[in-house]
Amino acid sequence: MRLPGWGRSGPDDTAPPEVLAVLAESVGPDRVLASARSDQTWLLATTHRFAAVFADGTVRWLRPWHEVDAASWGRESETLTVTFVDGGRPTMLPMASARTFLMTLRERVQASVVASVDLPLEGARKARAVIRQNLATGELIEHLVLGRGTRPSESIDAAAAIAFAELRDDTGLPPR
């Protein structure tokens, strides 16, 4: 495991050895591609995972890329907002511009998406059917991602079943 990255982060963006040591214990054969600091939290983009580790070495989260739904950085607010596919509240982290980290974050999230389609729902409800790849194993995983304020329902389940059947056909996966 090559912990300090491979030249993509500047000297102020390299996580301290105690943070990298905790990550090394947790992730196994993986490589840190970029890191950035958010207050007392280090954000680490590895080949297969996205981690947030407090400066004392406590892991805040360690998630495979296929579980990261989206991330956006607000230039004026200097805030990184991260949402995960489990539908929990977005995580907001203060962070000054870290261009390399943000580019790496975007690339890794996009690399995990194989196919995606918005579901045709009535009203303001939003949902997406997504097939994502576990970048560590190559396994393809289906995710139904509900928009903010959208609650599960039988109509969403029915629309998702049709969408996943089409996505499975499009990607060469066997039907369920």
Side-chain angles (χ1 to χ4, degrees):
M1 179 179 207
R2 199 170 154 193
L3 290 174
W6 41 282
R8 294 180 79 173
S9 296
D12 294 336
D13 295 328
T14 302
E18 55 273 12
V19 169
L20 296 173
V22 169
L23 188 64
E25 293 172 11
S26 304
V27 300
D30 209 344
R31 180 175 62 195
V32 175
L33 302 174
S35 57
R37 189 174 180 126
S38 168
D39 286 343
Q40 297 300 311
T41 305
W42 279 95
L43 302 174
L44 302 137
T46 76
T47 307
H48 304 127
R49 294 169 189 84
F50 180 32
V53 180
F54 291 111
D56 69 1
T58 305
V59 177
R60 180 173 180 181
W61 78 68
L62 178 60
R63 308 281 294 259
W65 287 113
H66 66 271
E67 292 181 4
V68 181
D69 182 44
S72 62
W73 182 70
R75 182 185 320 262
E76 290 184 23
S77 64
E78 291 192 329
T79 301
L80 178 67
T81 303
V82 180
T83 56
F84 296 99
V85 297
D86 59 15
R89 295 176 78 60
T91 300
M92 300 178 77
L93 303 158
M95 187 177 86
S97 177
R99 188 170 188 261
T100 301
F101 176 80
L102 293 170
M103 289 181 354
T104 304
L105 177 63
R106 177 182 168 89
E107 185 276 328
R108 292 281 79 197
V109 171
Q110 288 183 335
S112 73
V113 177
V114 175
S116 174
V117 65
D118 291 331
L119 300 183
L121 302 177
E122 293 180 14
R125 299 181 312 160
K126 296 195 180 298
R128 282 181 292 125
V130 185
I131 294 182
R132 301 190 71 160
Q133 182 178 32
N134 180 328
L135 298 177
T137 65
E139 175 188 12
L140 297 182
I141 301 159
E142 295 178 354
H143 288 292
L144 175 60
V145 181
L146 301 179
R148 285 189 90 174
T150 301
R151 302 284 176 244
S153 70
E154 289 181 18
S155 64
I156 290 175
D157 291 344
I162 293 167
F164 280 124
E166 291 172 2
L167 288 174
R168 292 179 73 75
D169 186 52
D170 290 348
T171 58
L173 288 170
R176 288 198 173 241

